[in-house]
């Protein structure tokens, strides 16, 4: 019997302790420890104004276009090197037949340059006769950035009324029709 009485006494003690914890006035009506320094009440929201700002957004955009390309006809094109070398060799041989001493060296150099230019031109003309210009269309692409501006809400300027007076605050969200406010009464110093 004494064991039953102990269990019953423990149960009653726990019930009383939990009831006292639930009735703790320092916790406020919402049980929030932050409300210990004053009471909490509700104020009517009079006006809410979103605080907006412009934000630049850069978006990568791939742009492609068609381009006509001609075959390379520059002086160092691989298609024309053979003609240029053969022309230079013939120019050196011809320059070797002209002049004496230093004049012979100058004639060889001039022959190499003139013969190379003639050989190159003959090679280009021959390729054009055989194959034509052979232009082709290729696709070229590039990534560019397109800027646009978006309007974003940075917060809300909230005007609310409590006890016949209006107050303004800034909040990160729209509170709706009512706003929870802390009410604190303190003695006024004279």
């Amino acid at each position: 019997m004494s064991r039953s009485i102990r269990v019953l006494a423990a149960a009653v003690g726990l019930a009383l302790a939990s009831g006292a914890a639930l009735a703790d006035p320092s916790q406020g009506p919402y049980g929030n420890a932050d409300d210990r320094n004053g009471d909490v009440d509700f104020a009517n929201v009079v006006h809410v104004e979103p605080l907006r700002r412009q934000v630049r957004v850069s978006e990568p955009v791939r742009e492609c276009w068609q381009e006509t390309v001609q075959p390379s006809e520059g002086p160092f094109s691989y298609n024309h090197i053979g003609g240029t070398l053969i022309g230079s060799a013939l120019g050196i041989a011809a320059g070797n037949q002209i002049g004496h001493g230093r004049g012979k060296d100058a004639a060889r150099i001039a022959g190499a340059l003139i013969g190379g230019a003639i050989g190159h031109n003959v090679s280009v003309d021959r390729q054009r006769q055989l194959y034509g210009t052979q232009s082709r269309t290729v696709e070229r692409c590039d990534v560019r950035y397109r800027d646009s501006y978006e309007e974003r809400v940075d917060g809300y300027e909230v005007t609310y009324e409590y006890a016949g007076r209006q107050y303004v605050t800034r909040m990160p969200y729209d509170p709706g029709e009512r706003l929870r406010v802390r009410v604190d009464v303190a003695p006024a110093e004279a």
Side-chain angles (χ1 to χ4, degrees):
M1 182 103 160
S2 68
R3 185 174 181 170
S4 306
I5 294 175
R6 276 190 263 169
V7 171
L8 183 61
V12 169
L14 284 174
L16 290 174
S18 64
L22 289 174
D24 184 6
S26 68
Q27 289 294 314
Y30 299 102
N32 189 345
D34 291 338
D35 296 338
R36 290 182 191 165
N37 297 331
D39 289 330
V40 176
D41 200 358
F42 286 94
N44 291 326
V45 174
V46 177
H47 181 71
V48 176
E49 181 71 32
L51 302 172
R52 302 181 197 306
R53 69 180 169 112
Q54 294 285 329
V55 178
R56 183 177 70 178
V57 178
S58 293
E59 178 184 3
V61 178
R62 185 174 184 215
E63 295 178 353
C64 296
W65 63 94
Q66 300 293 319
E67 198 172 280
T68 302
V69 179
Q70 300 293 331
S72 175
E73 293 184 3
F76 299 108
S77 174
Y78 292 113
N79 297 336
H80 311 300
I81 291 177
T84 304
L85 291 176
I86 291 172
S88 294
L90 292 174
I92 291 172
N96 196 32
Q97 302 299 320
I98 302 171
H100 299 13
R102 291 212 174 247
K104 197 175 230 180
D105 291 339
R108 285 183 194 148
I109 292 171
L113 292 174
I114 293 170
I118 292 171
H120 175 76
N121 288 341
V122 167
S123 176
V124 168
D125 289 340
R126 175 105 171 118
Q127 183 178 7
R128 283 187 186 153
Q129 288 174 356
L130 291 173
Y131 304 110
T133 58
Q134 293 184 357
S135 64
R136 58 190 171 101
T137 303
V138 295
E139 182 180 54
R140 305 264 189 216
C141 295
D142 192 16
V143 175
R144 298 172 196 237
Y145 288 88
R146 183 179 305 147
D147 289 342
S148 62
Y149 290 88
E150 293 180 359
E151 193 172 89
R152 295 196 180 160
V153 176
D154 246 3
Y156 296 87
E157 185 175 280
V158 179
T159 305
Y160 61 96
E161 187 175 322
Y162 184 76
R165 294 181 68 188
Q166 285 193 354
Y167 301 92
V168 177
T169 188
R170 184 176 177 167
M171 299 183 75
Y173 59 91
D174 184 343
E177 294 179 8
R178 294 181 356 146
L179 176 65
R180 196 170 148 210
V181 294
R182 184 183 324 280
V183 180
D184 191 14
V185 179
E189 294 184 31

